[in-house]
Amino acid sequence: LKLQFLYFIALLIFHKKMKTTFVFLLFVAAGSAVGLGGTTPATSCNAECFEVAQDVKEYVKEKLGDHLVEYHPELVREQVVAGKNYFIKINIGEGHYIHIRVYRSLLRHLDGLANAHVRPTTTLTGLKLGMTKDDELVYFEGFGDQ
C-alpha cells in the first residue's frame, strides 16, 4: 500500500510538471519501502530477467572468449539500489553455469514519465565462472572465479 501511494504521489508531481528530481527521489523512497539494499529470494527468470540477460550477452561472450554453447537464464535475484542489480544464474551448456551481476539504472523505471528521452543503461558488473546447477545464487561483486 505504501508503494502504491508513493507511485501515486510521483504521478501527481509529474502531472503538475514539478522538477524531475522530486520524481526520482520518490522512486528511491518507493524502493526503500520494499527493502532498499536487500536482495529478493531467487526465483525463475521472468520476461524482465530475460531482457536484462540479453542486454549483456555480448559482454558475457567477450569475457568468456566467445565460447558459449548455450545461454539460458534460469534464476534471478534482484536488489533495489539507485537502480536495480540483477543476479542471474545462466546455463551455458554441457552442465556449466555462470552467475552474472547486472546493473540497470533507475532511469529505466522513469521512461514514459519525466525522462522519456533517456535510454536506460544496463551494465555487466560481475561474473562468476565455474558454477554448477546446484550452486546457490547469492550476492557477489566483481569478476573472477568463484
Side-chain angles (χ1 to χ4, degrees), residues 42-61:
T43 59
S44 295
C45 277
N46 56 22
E48 182 180 6
C49 169
F50 284 110
E51 179 185 328
V52 168
Q54 285 302 314
D55 284 351
V56 297
K57 184 177 181 179
E58 292 304 313
Y59 300 110
V60 171
K61 284 172 112 173

Side-chain angles (χ1 to χ4, degrees), residues 110-122:
L110 294 178
D111 281 358
L113 291 177
N115 293 313
H117 63 284
V118 178
R119 287 189 40 88
T121 57
T122 304

Side-chain angles (χ1 to χ4, degrees), residues 27 48 83-84 86 104-111 113 120:
F27 277 96
E48 182 180 6
K84 194 184 279 188
Y86 298 84
R104 182 172 268 183
S105 69
L106 184 63
L107 294 178
R108 169 76 177 178
H109 304 289
L110 294 178
D111 281 358
L113 291 177

Side-chain angles (χ1 to χ4, degrees), residues 4-33:
Q4 290 171 338
F5 176 74
L6 290 172
Y7 282 129
F8 176 74
I9 296 297
L11 289 173
L12 283 177
I13 288 172
F14 175 72
H15 182 69
K16 295 192 181 258
K17 298 183 181 186
M18 294 187 77
K19 293 194 179 249
T20 304
T21 306
F22 292 115
V23 175
F24 174 79
L25 291 174
L26 282 171
F27 277 96
V28 171
S32 66

Side-chain angles (χ1 to χ4, degrees), residues 48 78-86 102-105 109:
E48 182 180 6
E78 298 175 0
Q79 178 188 36
V80 177
V81 289
K84 194 184 279 188
N85 285 320
Y86 298 84
V102 180
Y103 173 75
R104 182 172 268 183
S105 69
H109 304 289

